[in-house]
Amino acid sequence: MERLEIQQRLHNALGVMLIDKAEIREDATLKDLALDDSEIDELLDQLEFEFGIVFPTRIKNRIYKAPEHLTLQILVDVTLVLMENDES
């Protein structure tokens, strides 16, 4: 699966959750999107299911601690890495 397809699926998942879809841009952070912890949980669960991956606890902890540092671009990159590691 290519990065662009992962990005589109991430945007689709967020589109269901967010009222203001204008905020969905590659450099947006989870804080910019005003996601609370339960919404972040829901998003990560959906990505895990959709891509057959598991976000390690240490990554999840960093996401909850500093959502202002996690851009959608980084989330796409992390998803790609996790998918590649599962294929190995």
Side-chain angles (χ1 to χ4, degrees), residues 28-78:
T29 66
L30 295 185
K31 184 174 181 173
D32 294 337
L33 298 173
L35 297 177
D36 62 26
D37 284 354
S38 66
E39 291 168 322
I40 293 172
D41 261 345
E42 183 181 335
L43 176 61
L44 296 178
D45 287 348
Q46 186 169 348
L47 294 175
E48 287 179 334
F49 175 77
E50 193 157 334
F51 296 112
I53 59 173
V54 175
F55 287 96
T57 303
R58 65 181 173 75
I59 291 176
K60 285 185 176 182
N61 289 341
R62 290 191 71 188
I63 291 170
Y64 295 120
K65 259 187 193 173
E68 68 276 9
H69 295 295
L70 184 73
T71 65
L72 298 183
Q73 179 179 1
I74 292 170
L75 189 53
V76 169
D77 291 341
V78 169

Side-chain angles (χ1 to χ4, degrees), residues 6-16 24-26 72:
I6 292 170
Q7 181 177 346
Q8 185 58 52
R9 287 188 185 187
L10 172 62
H11 288 196
N12 291 347
L14 285 168
V16 171
I24 302 175
R25 58 190 196 292
E26 197 164 345
L72 298 183

